[in-house]
Amino acid sequence: MNTDYILAIGMLIGVFSIPAMMSAYADERPPRASMAAFILALSLMVLAYVRQPGGYTLTDLPNVVVTVIADIIN
């Protein structure tokens, strides 16, 4: 799997896990599933960073997302 896809999937899971964690804290229940999703997201992003020669920078992230979306559409 391309490292761009791994990074984009990790960012997507991370974006969806943060509101789930906040909801769990607001309802005073343990955020087990959302925390597991957040850890999975972080591990996917670290995996993509390690596998990419030269790594990623913050300025690369929008290009990665647009490239993955364009690949999915085409």
Side-chain angles (χ1 to χ4, degrees):
M1 181 179 275
N2 191 358
T3 57
D4 291 348
Y5 286 106
I6 295 172
L7 181 65
I9 291 169
M11 291 186 336
L12 183 70
I13 293 171
V15 164
F16 285 126
S17 68
I18 291 172
M21 281 191 286
M22 295 173 104
S23 173
Y25 283 126
D27 293 340
E28 296 180 358
R29 55 186 168 85
R32 290 185 187 109
S34 57
M35 191 61 75
F38 188 72
I39 291 170
L40 174 68
L42 285 178
S43 63
L44 284 173
M45 288 188 279
V46 167
L47 176 67
Y49 180 78
V50 169
R51 284 192 170 182
Q52 176 70 18
Y56 289 102
T57 61
L58 285 177
T59 58
D60 292 337
L61 297 182
N63 294 333
V64 167
V65 172
V66 170
T67 303
V68 169
I69 291 171
D71 284 345
I72 291 172
I73 290 173
N74 289 330

